[in-house]
Amino acid sequence: MTIRITWKRVILTIAILFAAGMVFAWSGTMQISASSGHWKVTDWFLHWVMRNSVRTYSAFQTPEGQAPDRDLISAAGHFRQACQVCHGAPGMKPSPVMQASTPPAPDLSVTAQEWTDRELFWIIRHGVKFTAMPPWPAAERDDEVWRMVGFVRRLPGMTPKQYRTLIQETLPVDLPGTRPGTLAACTSCHGSDGRGRGQADIPVLGGQKPASLLAALRNYASGTRKSAPMQVAAATLTEGEMERLAAHFAAMPGLAQRPIPTLPIIAKGDPARQLPACGNCHAPGKDAPALSGQKRTYLAARLRQWQGDPTVIDARKPADGMAVIARRIPPDQIDAIAAAFAEP
């Protein structure tokens, strides 16, 4: 018997299949419980699709950059806070509760070798649907994502001792008025002396104005200021803990109240660009954060973050005061400004 295929029959068949699918979905008989797991063919198909998708999108969406091989303490700290519970870490098993998810998070000490740096960046930055892998919470911070790529790349050969060295610093006592472990969580990245454990991306907190540190913690907790490690760290702090931590680090030696550097763009600004002098806000006695003695690398990176993506028009960028001012700074002057403030 010959069956003639016509447009009418094709459309009718599609309509019937769609209706059948909707009835099945409406019936509630589809098993969606994580405890039921996936069929092997489903598990294979989802992983196959995911790998193909990562390969394709990472080729086009991963920005130019490089996974660093140093300054990984902030990445390790974020991994401990947000990732270790699912993926485990050297010497640390993942939570059995999280491993019961469908699918369970992979052991990165094994699977990290299966991906290129560009692919790892894309996965960390964008997350993966149908899993518990979320996107990076600070979408503008490609620098943080690249540091996490550098950290994950080193997991296969990392020993438990090396991991503990990255995420811990010896601390004798807790800070009064805060929960146990709160200060240790801060010093694991910022150091017990508030100088950032020698990391180029972690600022000096010692000697900073208490009000500036408190404002930063509040902004991180609310998500107004973007940084994945700091947003996660600040989100659980109470107002009282923020105040005590700000006072604690501000009381340490570190930043200095020195006169504003004499570099013309710092001392006088640039009237042609409507760029005010830095001393208008950051001179000793002013309310803005102290900058003298801050790390050159941190200051330069912060200014570039405020400037944002050069391909995005100015009207679509943040309109807060410092972001607007930073966008008026000539890009070739940023390193000189950062060096002038950092020099003793």
Side-chain angles (χ1 to χ4, degrees):
M1 183 177 71
T2 302
I3 299 177
R4 291 182 55 210
I5 299 177
T6 64
W7 280 111
K8 183 177 180 179
R9 288 177 176 175
V10 169
I11 293 172
L12 180 61
T13 300
I14 292 174
I16 292 173
L17 291 174
F18 176 77
M22 292 301 292
V23 169
F24 176 66
W26 170 83
S27 71
T29 57
M30 181 176 178
Q31 178 59 270
I32 65 163
S33 65
S35 61
S36 66
H38 284 313
W39 292 337
K40 287 187 177 180
V41 65
T42 304
D43 189 63
W44 168 84
F45 181 75
L46 291 175
H47 279 82
W48 180 68
V49 170
M50 185 270 283
R51 288 181 177 276
N52 292 335
S53 180
V54 170
R55 183 185 65 246
T56 298
Y57 279 97
S58 66
F60 297 99
Q61 293 185 348
T62 298
E64 292 301 320
Q66 186 174 5
D69 57 5
R70 60 187 303 274
D71 295 329
L72 300 178
I73 282 178
S74 61
H78 183 67
F79 188 91
R80 176 186 59 80
Q81 294 182 100
C83 312
Q84 178 180 299
V85 65
C86 292
H87 293 281
M92 306 282 185
K93 292 184 178 181
S95 164
V97 173
M98 302 309 296
Q99 282 292 295
S101 61
T102 306
D107 182 350
L108 296 178
S109 66
V110 176
T111 59
Q113 301 175 83
E114 300 174 3
W115 306 95
T116 67
D117 284 0
R118 292 181 65 85
E119 291 169 340
L120 282 174
F121 179 98
W122 194 91
I123 293 171
I124 294 169
R125 167 64 183 82
H126 296 283
V128 182
K129 288 182 179 179
F130 310 118
T131 74
M133 178 66 186
W136 195 256
E140 305 90 343
R141 297 300 303 271
D142 287 352
D143 59 316
E144 292 182 344
V145 179
W146 277 118
R147 278 192 288 274
M148 184 58 78
V149 172
F151 173 78
V152 171
R153 176 62 64 216
R154 280 151 189 77
L155 277 175
M158 189 179 294
T159 66
K161 182 179 179 180
Q162 290 171 331
Y163 180 63
R164 288 194 301 271
T165 299
L166 285 173
I167 64 170
Q168 295 176 358
E169 189 185 59
T170 302
L171 186 72
V173 293
D174 285 313
L175 181 64
T178 64
R179 287 165 291 175
T182 299
L183 182 57
C186 297
T187 59
S188 64
C189 287
H190 290 285
S192 56
D193 59 359
R195 293 178 182 270
R197 298 186 62 189
Q199 304 294 287
D201 63 299
I202 301 177
V204 175
L205 301 186
Q208 185 57 269
K209 299 169 185 175
S212 296
L213 294 177
L214 180 58
L217 286 172
R218 287 171 174 165
N219 289 337
Y220 282 129
S222 68
T224 304
R225 186 167 173 180
K226 306 297 184 182
S227 168
M230 282 304 304
Q231 285 175 241
V232 172
T236 60
L237 297 175
T238 66
E239 179 68 16
E241 288 173 332
M242 290 184 189
E243 293 173 356
R244 289 173 178 81
L245 288 168
H248 174 79
F249 284 104
M252 297 176 176
L255 303 179
Q257 294 293 320
R258 294 197 300 264
I260 288 296
T262 57
L263 188 71
I265 196 171
I266 294 178
K268 300 178 181 179
D270 188 343
R273 294 176 175 269
Q274 296 184 315
L275 178 64
C278 300
N280 291 355
C281 297
H282 293 283
K286 300 288 187 176
D287 292 334
L291 301 182
S292 295
Q294 188 56 268
K295 294 176 183 176
R296 175 186 56 79
T297 49
Y298 174 78
L299 289 175
R302 192 79 178 99
L303 288 173
R304 290 191 172 97
Q305 289 158 18
W306 269 313
Q307 288 194 332
D309 187 342
T311 64
V312 177
I313 62 173
D314 194 74
R316 294 184 177 178
K317 293 181 178 179
D320 58 287
M322 193 58 222
V324 173
I325 290 171
R327 292 199 294 272
R328 296 173 182 170
I329 299 174
D332 60 358
Q333 291 288 304
I334 286 180
D335 288 331
I337 292 172
F341 277 110
E343 290 173 356

